[in-house]
Amino acid sequence: MFLHRLRKPVLALAAIAFAGSALAQSYTTSDGKKLDIFFVPTQHQVVKRMLELAEVGPNDVHYDLGSGDGRIVIAAVRDFKAKKGVGIDLDPQRIAESKENKDKDKLGDNVQFLNQNIFETDLSEATVVSMYLLNSINLRLRPKLLKELKPGTRIVTHAFNMGEWKEEHNESVDGYQVYLFIVPANVTGKWELSQGERRIALDLQNEFTDLNGTATVDGKPAEIRNARVTGTKIRFTIDLDGKPVVFEGTSDGSTISGAGWSAKKS
Ligand SMILES: C[S@@+](CC[C@H](N)C(=O)[O-])C[C@H]1O[C@@H](n2cnc3c(N)ncnc32)[C@H](O)[C@@H]1O
């Protein structure tokens, strides 16, 4: 049973890995553009779980990067009531199929399919992004995702992760691996934290969800521990008067606000 469950994704991934050399022709669209990866659809039960993990709802704008036959975008709007869905695929054949599928479901202008390169697409309006690409493509996309997407944007990937950017969650759906990432706020820099009369100088660095730095309390250095950024939420511990104090707050870029404390970028 276990081996049977593993077999499908392993075969799909092996096919993708093999394709680079043996099926080079599959990488070219009918109008001569070079694809980074050819079309392999995500199974419907996996699509459903990816959209559940991303908690897609009526306030969301969903983008599928390399949207294939459009199934993830269509499900986001049809089944999860996203206010807008955008599929981007370089292959005109996939875009034509997606539009046919959208028409079958009688969906309106809030479902769009764009025949363009994901690397040349402005992603900034997305609140949810899905991807079934390759590890190497995810890594090439990573700086663009971190630059263009707002902190808090959810990214769900099928089969491939984001390297050192650790996921919030991963699970297997019938043997297919899925990952959830949340775009972290950038809190790198110097901050002045106020908690009542107390002032703490913070020098923070965050890479992806990891948060490191130093605190200066009453002129003395203090360690920052258990620190992490999850979307716009920041959490860290500093020892004050010999006792660990947990700070939890939300960043809007120039301030971090928590219960009984706030910090301003200096
Ligand atoms: C593995 S399929 C995934 C399809 C769909 N997202 C799904 O999960 O069912 C990858 C898709 O990416 C498209 N693609 C590959 N390189 C691309 C690029 N640079 N820009 C846009 N689309 C691309 C392919 O045409 C293909 O449809």
Side-chain angles (χ1 to χ4, degrees), residues 191-196 200 247 255-264:
W191 299 80
E192 190 185 56
L193 187 156
S194 309
Q195 186 189 40
I200 302 174
F247 291 88
T255 54
I256 306 175
S257 310
W261 69 278
S262 66
K264 276 198 167 27

Side-chain angles (χ1 to χ4, degrees), residues 16 29 34-43 47 50 64-72 88-91 94 116-119 130-133 137 140 158:
I16 289 171
T29 62
K34 193 177 168 300
L35 291 173
D36 289 294
I37 177 68
F38 63 89
F39 176 49
V40 182
T42 296
Q43 302 296 304
V47 170
M50 287 168 79
D64 188 30
L65 308 187
S67 47
D69 63 6
R71 62 181 61 196
I72 308 186
I88 297 128
D89 207 292
L90 199 52
D91 191 339
R94 299 283 94 79
Q116 58 197 48
N117 194 319
I118 50 178
F119 287 95
S130 56
M131 312 194 306
Y132 180 26
L133 299 165
I137 307 175
R140 275 168 56 213
H158 173 186

Side-chain angles (χ1 to χ4, degrees), residues 165-228:
W165 179 1
K166 292 294 165 232
E167 67 273 12
E168 301 297 327
H169 177 81
N170 78 72
E171 68 182 51
S172 166
V173 184
D174 289 348
Y176 299 92
Q177 202 66 27
V178 294
Y179 299 86
L180 169 71
F181 300 85
I182 300 181
V183 175
N186 179 2
V187 294
T188 294
K190 294 187 192 308
W191 299 80
E192 190 185 56
L193 187 156
S194 309
Q195 186 189 40
E197 295 298 298
R198 193 177 337 241
R199 299 285 175 271
I200 302 174
L202 299 173
D203 189 354
L204 301 178
Q205 295 91 41
N206 77 296
E207 193 184 34
F208 311 119
T209 57
D210 291 339
L211 181 61
N212 293 295
T214 52
T216 308
V217 185
D218 300 330
K220 292 188 194 120
E223 193 193 352
I224 294 179
R225 293 184 284 115
N226 302 331
R228 186 176 161 81

Side-chain angles (χ1 to χ4, degrees), residues 110-123:
N110 59 339
V111 176
Q112 298 170 5
F113 292 103
L114 309 177
N115 185 203
Q116 58 197 48
N117 194 319
I118 50 178
F119 287 95
E120 291 160 14
T121 300
D122 177 0
L123 307 176

